[in-house]
């Protein structure tokens, strides 16, 4: 499976090896984007990194909400980078969960838990925003909680075996996506 169809196409199913390969490709891509944006001097370079980028965006959103201003270009581009990374992870999780016989449940659970963690940490950061350096505590807590959520969900889903239904059971599986030539 080609990298573009693996990372950006939600159709199909993938095995464990392909899932871990896709996550590794995503990590390398995120690091390359981070280094490329950092060399250009762009502020939202940290948004490309998995756990750090989420905390960076939450801190930036808390600052914008506290200041009562609209998000600036740097924060908007950081939000778009994080959204693109979440889309790719959702595509990988969806394909892997289909292969493991789980359906949409792991992807939805991951998204809701991640949203709850980042939302709570963002509210905490917003509550501490006038306290100088105290706003860093929710950002580090967000990084730790986010890393824990990512590790649990991705480790659990990546270790699941292929789904083997009982004999005589009707199986509905989506076809493997073949790259166009």
């Amino acid at each position: 499976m080609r990298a573009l169809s693996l990372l950006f196409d939600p159709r199909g199913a993938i095995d464990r090896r392909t899932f871990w390969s896709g996550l590794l490709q995503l990590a390398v891509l995120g690091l390359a984007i981070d280094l490329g944006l950092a060399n250009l001097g762009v502020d939202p370079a940290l948004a490309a990194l998995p756990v750090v980028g989420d905390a960076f965006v939450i801190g930036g959103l808390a600052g914008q909400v506290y200041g009562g201003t609209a998000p600036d270009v740097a924060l908007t581009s950081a939000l778009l980078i994080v959204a693109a990374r979440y889309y790719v992870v959702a595509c990988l999780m969806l394909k892997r969960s289909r292969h493991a016989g789980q359906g949409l449940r792991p992807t939805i659970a991951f998204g809701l838990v991640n949203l709850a963690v980042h939302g709570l940490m963002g509210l905490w950061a917003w509550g501490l925003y006038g306290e100088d350096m105290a706003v860093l505590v929710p950002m580090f807590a967000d990084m730790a909680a986010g890393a824990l959520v990512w590790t649990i969900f991705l480790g659990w889903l990546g270790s699941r075996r292929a789904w083997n239904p009982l004999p005589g059971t009707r199986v509905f599986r989506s076809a493997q996506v073949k790259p166009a030539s």
Side-chain angles (χ1 to χ4, degrees):
M1 183 175 274
R2 292 188 181 176
L4 283 177
S5 62
L6 176 67
L7 296 177
F8 295 104
D9 190 4
R11 297 175 295 176
I14 56 175
D15 60 354
R16 288 187 287 194
R17 191 180 90 200
T18 309
F19 175 71
W20 290 113
S21 171
L23 286 177
L24 182 63
Q25 291 174 26
L26 178 61
V28 169
L29 182 64
L31 187 60
I33 290 171
D34 178 54
L35 291 174
L37 290 176
N39 284 339
L40 293 175
V42 179
D43 288 338
L46 289 176
L49 300 176
V51 175
V52 177
D54 304 343
F56 171 75
V57 169
I58 291 298
L61 282 175
Q64 295 293 325
V65 169
Y66 182 76
T69 60
D72 57 355
V73 174
L75 183 61
T76 304
S77 62
L79 280 168
L80 292 173
I81 290 171
V82 169
R85 185 169 30 83
Y86 274 117
Y87 176 76
V88 171
V89 170
C91 287
L92 285 171
M93 287 183 72
L94 187 59
K95 289 178 188 180
R96 178 68 193 122
S97 64
R98 280 191 197 123
H99 189 262
Q102 298 295 314
L104 286 172
R105 290 179 300 197
T107 307
I108 292 172
F110 175 74
L112 291 177
V113 169
N114 224 356
L115 183 64
V117 165
H118 295 315
L120 290 173
M121 297 303 162
L123 289 174
W124 185 20
W126 183 65
L128 292 175
Y129 198 72
E131 306 293 326
D132 294 327
M133 295 299 285
V135 76
L136 292 177
V137 174
M139 288 181 69
F140 286 120
D142 187 30
M143 282 190 256
L148 181 66
V149 168
W150 279 75
T151 301
I152 289 172
F153 273 104
L154 296 180
W156 173 78
L157 189 61
S159 65
R160 302 277 305 182
R161 292 183 180 211
W163 180 54
N164 294 321
L166 297 172
T169 319
R170 197 165 171 191
V171 179
F172 296 98
R173 291 188 186 182
S174 57
Q176 183 75 19
V177 177
K178 303 264 181 182
S181 50

